[in-house]
Amino acid sequence: MSWYRNTVWFVKGLREYTRGGYESASKRFNPADVEVDVAGRSFLVTGANSGIGKATAKEIARRGGTVHLVCRNKERAEVAKEEIVTETGNQNIFLHIVDISNPKEIWKFAEKFRNEHKLNVLINNAGCMVNNRELTEDGLEKNFATNTLGTYIMTTALVPLLEKAADARVRQQVVLTEQWAKAHRNIHFSVMHPGWADTPAVRSSMPDFYERMKNSLRTEAQGADTVLWLAVSAEATNLPSGLFFQDRQPVPTHLPLAYTHSPPEDEEKLMEVLEEFSQKFKSASPGI
């Protein structure tokens, strides 16, 4: 019975994550939530040269926000920046070249950024889906270095800047979101699932899945919709900090009967380990 229920929930969840799921959910959206002017507010988007990151940055730029694009590949990032400026007419788009899998680079960037800019919203979008084991130059597994440690350091390093801002917001992974929401009450933390969108990451990392699902995948803009809503709408901050969202609504972080819950002591241990790692690389970064 539990196998059957999990299968039903998986199929239901997969359908909700597709373009059809978005189109169905969007019928209840209030367009006014994101029809806002965010001129004067500063947004930092990691992994902003393509996919959901670029779509998010572009929509924020359309609304007048100052956008900092944090990207790894300089050539692709410059093309993305030019596209955003051209399409939105917003000149307040700034480019920073940082490898989110390199903790020393992140510390160095964040220290410089804190001294030169203000920040209202941090959007941790950068991530990778490396299917074969790959180590960074620091000996870290690539997915962990990018998706978990990189996110942890970027947020930790910029929290002091966010603490100074009005209506500060962050988006990142589930456990980190929940833990930081408890620790920083004046910053609104949230995390979201974009659904399955037609992005370069999905095409390159999940080619078989992409071929089967390509006619049902969400557009990049549809995948970015909830990120934008969390970043700019007043409605998002009426909900508690630390929640997990899908299509502008808070949803459970675990599927029923999936047995994916972790005990509090394991989550606390994760935060301790990440802090130890982060401090190790901070002390190894020149000028910090």
Side-chain angles (χ1 to χ4, degrees):
M1 181 62 73
S2 63
W3 174 86
Y4 172 76
R5 286 178 180 173
N6 280 336
T7 301
V8 169
W9 274 99
F10 173 77
V11 173
K12 180 176 181 287
L14 185 62
R15 185 169 61 247
E16 288 178 351
Y17 291 158
T18 63
R19 185 187 309 153
Y22 175 83
E23 290 170 349
S24 177
S26 66
K27 293 175 182 176
R28 58 172 167 74
F29 292 174
N30 180 2
D33 283 356
V34 293
E35 291 174 358
V36 295
D37 183 349
V38 292
R41 286 178 64 79
S42 177
F43 301 76
L44 188 154
V45 185
T46 66
N49 66 283
S50 66
I52 290 170
K54 184 173 76 172
T56 301
K58 190 178 293 184
E59 291 304 318
I60 292 170
R62 289 191 204 283
R63 290 157 175 79
T66 296
V67 186
H68 296 272
L69 313 176
V70 175
C71 308
R72 180 177 59 85
N73 185 288
K74 187 174 187 293
E75 291 72 25
R76 288 197 297 241
E78 288 176 341
V79 171
K81 176 186 174 182
E82 183 61 31
E83 179 184 325
I84 293 170
V85 170
T86 300
E87 291 191 18
T88 68
N90 188 336
Q91 298 294 322
N92 293 318
I93 312 299
F94 301 93
L95 182 58
H96 311 272
I97 305 304
V98 184
D99 184 349
I100 301 298
S101 73
N102 187 321
K104 292 189 290 291
E105 268 193 38
I106 301 172
W107 277 119
K108 185 177 179 181
F109 157 75
E111 181 71 13
K112 187 172 186 291
F113 189 91
R114 285 204 309 259
N115 293 329
E116 297 178 355
H117 304 282
K118 72 169 190 173
L119 183 62
N120 296 96
V121 181
L122 169 61
I123 300 174
N124 287 305
N125 166 78
C128 66
M129 292 186 285
V130 179
N131 296 320
N132 298 315
R133 181 173 172 79
E134 183 179 330
L135 299 181
T136 69
E137 63 181 36
D138 296 303
L140 300 169
E141 193 277 322
K142 187 69 174 287
N143 290 295
F144 167 76
T146 305
N147 303 336
T148 306
L149 183 61
T151 295
Y152 180 88
I153 294 176
M154 182 67 77
T155 308
T156 297
L158 294 177
V159 155
L161 192 57
L162 289 161
E163 293 274 11
K164 301 175 183 177
D167 189 17
R169 311 184 192 189
V170 181
R171 140 166 149 57
Q172 70 239 340
Q173 296 196 32
V174 174
V175 172
L176 300 185
T177 294
E178 294 171 341
Q179 295 297 315
W180 268 321
K182 297 174 186 175
H184 304 284
R185 300 291 186 178
N186 59 334
I187 300 175
H188 195 273
F189 290 85
S190 51
V191 62
M192 58 79 68
H193 194 303
W196 293 112
D198 189 349
T199 65
V202 170
R203 292 195 292 271
S204 63
S205 301
M206 307 171 68
D208 294 339
F209 173 84
Y210 174 75
E211 283 302 316
R212 291 196 301 271
M213 299 293 295
K214 62 183 178 182
N215 294 325
S216 301
L217 296 177
R218 298 181 177 200
T219 66
E220 292 174 347
Q222 290 172 342
D225 177 80
T226 298
V227 187
L228 177 70
W229 182 80
L230 290 168
V232 306
S233 76
E235 188 64 28
T237 53
N238 289 333
L239 295 164
S241 181
L243 297 182
F244 176 44
F245 291 82
Q246 179 187 333
D247 292 330
R248 303 192 189 184
Q249 279 195 328
V251 294
T253 55
H254 303 276
L255 291 175
L257 304 175
Y259 306 107
T260 55
H261 291 268
S262 53
E265 56 268 26
D266 285 358
E267 295 183 358
E268 291 170 8
K269 181 62 177 177
L270 170 65
M271 300 301 284
E272 290 174 8
V273 170
L274 290 173
E275 180 62 16
E276 290 173 8
F277 265 119
S278 71
Q279 292 302 317
K280 170 187 172 184
F281 290 107
K282 181 179 182 180
S283 62
S285 299
I288 296 180

